[in-house]
Amino acid sequence: NAGVMQNPRHLVRRRGQEARLRCSPMKGHSHVYWYRQLPEEGLKFMVYLQKENIIDESGMPKERFSAEFPKEGPSILRIQQVVRGDSAAYFCASSPQTGPNTEAFFGQGTRLTVV
Amino acid sequence: DQQVKQNSPSLSVQEGRISILNCDYTNSMFDYFLWYKKYPAEGPTFLISISSIKDKNEDGRFTVFLNKSAKHLSLHIVPSQPGDSAVYFCAAPAGGTSYGKLTFGQGTILTVHP
């Protein structure tokens, strides 16, 4: 049973370009969470999605960032017109359900560098 | 507003000794806490958790203690091993029924010397 798969592992973009980060949850998991880790900081929640629905996007920046989790295929975190401050590690996690004793499993992350 | 705080950025311990990592929280609504371990260039891995109805949970070399009145929890690793060297994060579900929406502390870098 493969774990949470994120790709690419490393992504370099020039300022103003678009970045697309992909996350395939573990088999049987229908809940996906995206986190961002800036240098020297802990992980910060960005968005929580279930298939075809955004459940909680309270941690998403108001502009340039969007996320989706289509019926088929991976979840996508899209950052438009990237700026240097977007450079960070982006982690995806998945869980089979919500509620007590339901830990989320994390992928290895995508390290975005904006030059 | 940092609701989960790990005030020690780093900790250095000799192999075989006890490692104690501390975490404080401010939100009295938190009722479940998790510890994650993270190696460089990898994602966090779940280590151990504790519900607020307990004050201790043990799993092998790892024990988590919760002091609700002080809003403080700690992770004890005994005995510490060089392979335990990693960044340790404490986290709490941010509310509701979603246990994947977590508030993380800043992390503590543990180094275990042989």
Side-chain angles (χ1 to χ4, degrees), chain B residues 24-42:
Chain B
D24 297 296
Y25 62 96
T26 57
N27 190 338
S28 57
M29 297 298 290
F30 287 155
D31 60 3
Y32 192 68
F33 302 90
L34 307 92
W35 283 93
Y36 281 84
K37 175 180 179 180
K38 185 182 179 303
Y39 293 116
E42 294 188 13

Side-chain angles (χ1 to χ4, degrees), chain B residues 14-85:
Chain B
Q14 206 68 31
E15 181 179 7
R17 307 294 288 267
I18 184 171
S19 295
I20 300 176
L21 297 100
N22 294 303
C23 179
D24 297 296
Y25 62 96
T26 57
N27 190 338
S28 57
M29 297 298 290
F30 287 155
D31 60 3
Y32 192 68
F33 302 90
L34 307 92
W35 283 93
Y36 281 84
K37 175 180 179 180
K38 185 182 179 303
Y39 293 116
E42 294 188 13
T45 302
F46 169 73
L47 195 57
I48 192 169
S49 63
I50 188 166
S51 166
S52 61
I53 62 174
K54 296 184 176 181
D55 55 17
K56 176 183 174 181
N57 188 27
E58 191 172 350
D59 183 1
R61 297 185 297 113
F62 303 90
T63 302
V64 56
F65 295 92
L66 175 62
N67 182 334
K68 285 184 65 178
S69 61
K71 294 192 178 69
H72 176 83
L73 60 156
S74 60
L75 174 68
H76 294 212
I77 307 174
V78 182
S80 301
Q81 300 173 353
D84 296 329
S85 297

